[in-house]
Amino acid sequence: MIKSRSTKIGDWIIAIFCLLCVLACLLPVLNILARSLSSAQFLIKNEVLLLPKGLNFDAYRIVLEDSKYTWALLWTAMLTVVSTLWSMFMTVMCAYPLIYDNLKGKKLIMALIIFTMYFSAGIVPNYLLMKELHLLNNPLVLVLPGSISVFYVIIMRSFFFGIPDSLKESAELDGAGPLRVLTKIYLPLSAPVLATLALFYAVGRWNGYFDALMFMSDRTYFPIQLLLYNILNSISSVEVATQEGFSSPGLSETIKAATVMFATVPILLIYPWLQRYFISGVTIGAVKG
């Protein structure tokens, strides 16, 4: 098929736009990587852009040898796994009953679920609630309050609706109950949406720090992002800078960059494993031409 001139121009415009989007995402990462591998003297002079100068790995050595960094990374990984599994369980258990027409109060339940998307109590009531539930400074406060997303429940429910009812009806005729239908039919056919939502939940938990900042005071349970938050803000606080072990402005900037890479790379490594499911999952609701 021969493309017209206007089509070719449109393709070039789209390609250039996509390239600019890639550069906008990639260049900051390359800058941080270069800063983490550069000597402190070049960072002080602000001479590092995309390539490291005075190549050294001192910042990574300091980060890896410091137990608070390695423990924060390990704790965040465990927290992400547990939180993601729990969130997926809650999402499936909430979305699955809503596909049954004979569910009593279905419309009211959906209205209440959607209501929470637009209205929330706010920070102070949430803090008071966590206090009354004795969850302050408790690791469970990093898992339970954010264990479900209404938007993801709606996505899961929409995907379940796309599965032919004939499969469910045939299983029910064979004597299968709702849970068996879920585990034998719906979940095996829902791999794309399950992988996509699991990725979203995992990234959200890995990057989360505000809940720990609000509800946690024990540094033992600080996730890596909260530790990173303290490091990046240490430049304005001599007390925090001393606590984090910074001895000079240049070394401080190098450790900051190394810690950013230290906290970013692990979650990036998950994408290649889930890419084919992710592509299928994000096209849910698309219309074929």
Side-chain angles (χ1 to χ4, degrees):
M1 180 178 179
I2 301 177
K3 295 183 178 180
S4 63
R5 182 177 179 182
S6 59
T7 302
K8 292 181 180 179
I9 294 176
D11 290 344
W12 276 105
I13 293 175
I14 294 174
I16 293 173
F17 177 76
C18 292
L19 178 61
L20 292 176
C21 290
V22 170
L23 291 177
C25 297
L26 184 60
L27 292 181
V29 177
L30 293 178
N31 176 256
I32 294 296
L33 178 61
R35 294 172 68 86
S36 68
L37 295 173
S38 298
S39 298
Q41 62 201 44
F42 294 102
L43 291 178
I44 295 175
K45 297 177 183 179
N46 199 25
E47 295 181 354
V48 179
L49 188 57
L50 296 179
L51 296 176
K53 292 187 176 182
L55 181 66
N56 73 82
F57 299 90
D58 291 343
Y60 289 97
R61 177 181 54 80
I62 293 174
V63 170
L64 292 175
E65 290 179 353
D66 195 325
S67 60
K68 68 173 176 288
Y69 295 106
T70 53
W71 164 247
L73 183 65
L74 179 61
W75 163 245
T76 306
M78 294 187 296
L79 181 64
T80 299
V81 172
V82 172
S83 179
T84 300
L85 292 176
W86 174 248
S87 295
M88 290 304 300
F89 173 79
M90 292 293 293
T91 301
V92 171
M93 289 296 101
C94 183
Y96 178 62
L98 296 175
I99 68 174
Y100 283 86
D101 294 330
N102 58 353
L103 177 65
K104 294 183 178 180
K106 177 180 177 180
K107 292 183 179 180
L108 176 62
I109 294 173
M110 276 302 303
L112 293 176
I113 291 175
I114 294 176
F115 179 84
T116 62
M117 289 183 62
Y118 302 101
F119 302 96
S120 62
I123 296 177
V124 175
N126 281 334
Y127 182 87
L128 295 176
L129 176 61
M130 296 303 107
K131 182 178 180 181
E132 290 297 323
L133 295 175
H134 304 288
L135 289 177
L136 292 183
N137 210 34
N138 187 325
L140 290 177
V141 78
L142 303 178
V143 177
L144 297 181
S147 60
I148 193 169
S149 168
V150 175
F151 182 64
Y152 296 163
V153 169
I154 294 175
I155 292 178
M156 181 71 73
R157 176 175 173 267
S158 300
F159 192 91
F160 284 162
F161 268 127
I163 298 176
D165 290 337
S166 57
L167 297 177
K168 180 180 67 173
E169 293 170 357
S170 61
E172 290 174 344
L173 289 175
D174 291 335
L179 288 180
R180 190 172 182 82
V181 172
L182 173 64
T183 56
K184 297 299 182 180
I185 295 179
Y186 280 88
L187 292 184
L189 295 175
S190 302
V193 70
L194 291 175
T196 301
L197 296 186
L199 179 62
F200 288 162
Y201 274 124
V203 171
R205 179 60 271 172
W206 182 273
N207 291 332
Y209 74 94
F210 187 73
D211 50 355
L213 180 64
M214 289 293 298
F215 305 128
M216 298 294 297
S217 59
D218 187 352
R219 292 177 60 88
T220 304
Y221 299 113
F222 278 10
I224 187 67
Q225 298 298 339
L226 182 56
L227 187 64
L228 178 60
Y229 172 85
N230 290 333
I231 292 173
L232 295 179
N233 284 279
S234 64
I235 192 171
S236 60
S237 173
V238 176
E239 180 181 356
V240 176
T242 303
Q243 186 177 12
E244 298 299 342
F246 297 155
S247 57
S248 66
L251 180 60
S252 170
E253 292 298 323
T254 307
I255 294 180
K256 287 180 183 180
T259 310
V260 171
M261 297 302 301
F262 192 66
T264 303
V265 171
I267 197 66
L268 290 179
L269 297 179
I270 297 178
Y271 279 92
W273 299 95
L274 298 177
Q275 184 178 8
R276 69 186 177 96
Y277 294 112
F278 180 74
I279 293 175
S280 301
V282 296
T283 57
I284 295 172
V287 179
K288 294 183 179 180

